[in-house]
Amino acid sequence: MPPVPPSQLPPARTLVAPGRGELFMRDTGGDGPAVMLLHGWIASADLNWRTVYGDLVDAGYRVLAIDHRGHGRGLRPLERFRLADCAADAAAAMRELEVAPALVVGYSMGGAIAQLIARDHLDVVSGLVLSGTAQHWRGPETRRYWRAMSALGVALSLSPIRTWSWGLRRVGLPESEETSWLLSELTRHSARDIAEAGRELGRFDSRPWLRPLDVPMAVVVTTQDEAVPPRKQYELAAALDARVFEAPIRHLEVASRPDRYNAALLDALAAISARERATT
């Protein structure tokens, strides 16, 4: 089946960021408040946010979404994948587009990247929403998982289509036009960077430095999440003294259950936007 996107996607642009390279972006344009969306591991902007774009635009936002390094159409750097570099890429994009400070939304790995943006590039952040993410992934239940990253990298390097097809079947996706598009998008990833990103998540721990910030913050907890336990998401909200919103989805349902996720995200954005206006 041809890899046709299941819905209309926002305009694409390639942004040249000085000192960083060509960054692939989705940008809806418009005069509304800018929202930078940061996707999760083994996803891309479109894979993560394809069913979110439209609702954000309808709510009046200018939507920006970046493909992180090694993911989708993202940068293919010569150096090793680092979450801090992804944070610097996104911050550079916001500065280059002259939308900073902007609302920043991070899902899963994107939530770790968002935390690093808040730590290292707070000047580009007017409000922060973290979702399906945590301060760390160092529990015993995930330790063996991260050690398997080398095997994942080898499998993706040797047989990417077969490996991704197996993964889609494991999560219960039947053969369809949308699955064909998903498979096509997944094969855009860099096998080396995907594996290294997994190891980076295993090393990530913001507990020593994460603190409440002088910007409005919210956490959208994915309450049925099997990949990032909800208790860790609530712990993250407590560490930031952030307002909590709840979305009753599993981790990979962020794109497949917009009826359950998007309302919580829109409520979180509205809440931090209102607080931002009240303090300016």
Side-chain angles (χ1 to χ4, degrees):
M1 298 180 184
V4 178
S7 59
Q8 182 67 39
L9 299 173
R13 68 185 301 168
T14 300
L15 180 70
V16 179
R20 309 212 66 80
E22 290 187 336
L23 308 175
F24 178 83
M25 308 279 301
R26 295 289 183 186
D27 183 358
T28 63
D31 299 324
V35 178
M36 172 63 87
L37 301 176
L38 308 174
H39 68 76
W41 181 52
I42 311 185
S44 64
D46 294 341
L47 290 172
N48 205 133
W49 303 112
R50 64 189 181 277
T51 59
V52 176
Y53 294 140
D55 283 352
L56 291 183
V57 171
D58 290 344
Y61 295 103
R62 175 181 176 179
V63 181
L64 307 166
I66 187 172
D67 277 5
H68 298 307
R69 297 175 169 225
H71 292 69
R73 298 171 177 85
L75 281 170
R76 294 297 189 270
L78 299 179
E79 65 268 28
R80 296 176 67 183
F81 180 98
R82 290 293 179 265
L83 292 170
D85 288 330
C86 295
D89 293 339
M94 287 183 272
R95 295 187 184 107
E96 191 68 17
L97 292 171
E98 299 183 345
V99 298
L103 301 167
V104 176
V105 178
Y107 190 82
S108 193
M109 181 185 78
I113 294 169
Q115 292 173 60
L116 290 166
I117 291 176
R119 185 190 73 179
D120 300 336
H121 310 278
L122 189 57
D123 62 294
V124 306
V125 181
S126 64
L128 186 67
V129 177
L130 304 175
S131 183
T133 193
Q135 293 176 273
H136 69 97
W137 287 267
R138 293 193 171 194
E141 69 275 12
T142 57
R143 207 164 287 146
R144 288 191 300 272
Y145 186 73
W146 302 124
R147 282 201 292 263
M149 288 305 102
S150 295
L152 174 64
V154 170
L156 289 174
S157 296
L158 294 176
S159 186
I161 294 177
R162 180 176 296 178
T163 302
W164 288 124
S165 296
W166 174 83
L168 292 175
R169 289 194 300 271
R170 280 291 301 270
V171 298
L173 291 179
E175 186 175 339
S176 67
E177 290 185 1
E178 182 170 357
T179 304
S180 178
W181 175 78
L182 291 171
L183 179 59
S184 176
E185 291 298 295
L186 287 167
T187 58
R188 295 183 188 276
H189 296 335
S190 160
R192 182 197 69 174
D193 289 333
I194 289 294
E196 186 56 38
R199 284 189 285 266
E200 269 280 90
L201 285 172
R203 293 187 287 259
F204 180 79
D205 189 347
S206 64
R207 288 175 296 180
W209 47 263
L210 194 67
R211 66 190 188 283
L213 303 169
D214 193 25
V215 296
M217 294 174 292
V219 172
V220 178
V221 177
T222 45
T223 59
Q224 297 176 8
D225 205 312
E226 75 291 356
V228 182
R231 62 176 175 79
K232 287 192 173 183
Q233 300 182 49
Y234 288 113
E235 288 170 2
L236 170 64
L240 288 170
D241 193 22
R243 187 170 173 183
V244 172
F245 298 82
E246 295 183 339
I249 65 167
R250 294 165 65 87
H251 195 72
L252 295 180
E253 291 179 333
V254 60
S256 63
R257 295 305 305 265
D259 56 316
R260 293 189 173 188
Y261 183 78
N262 291 4
L265 177 59
L266 286 167
D267 287 345
L269 285 168
I272 65 174
S273 296
R275 183 179 161 195
E276 178 194 4
R277 289 193 297 269
T279 58
T280 56

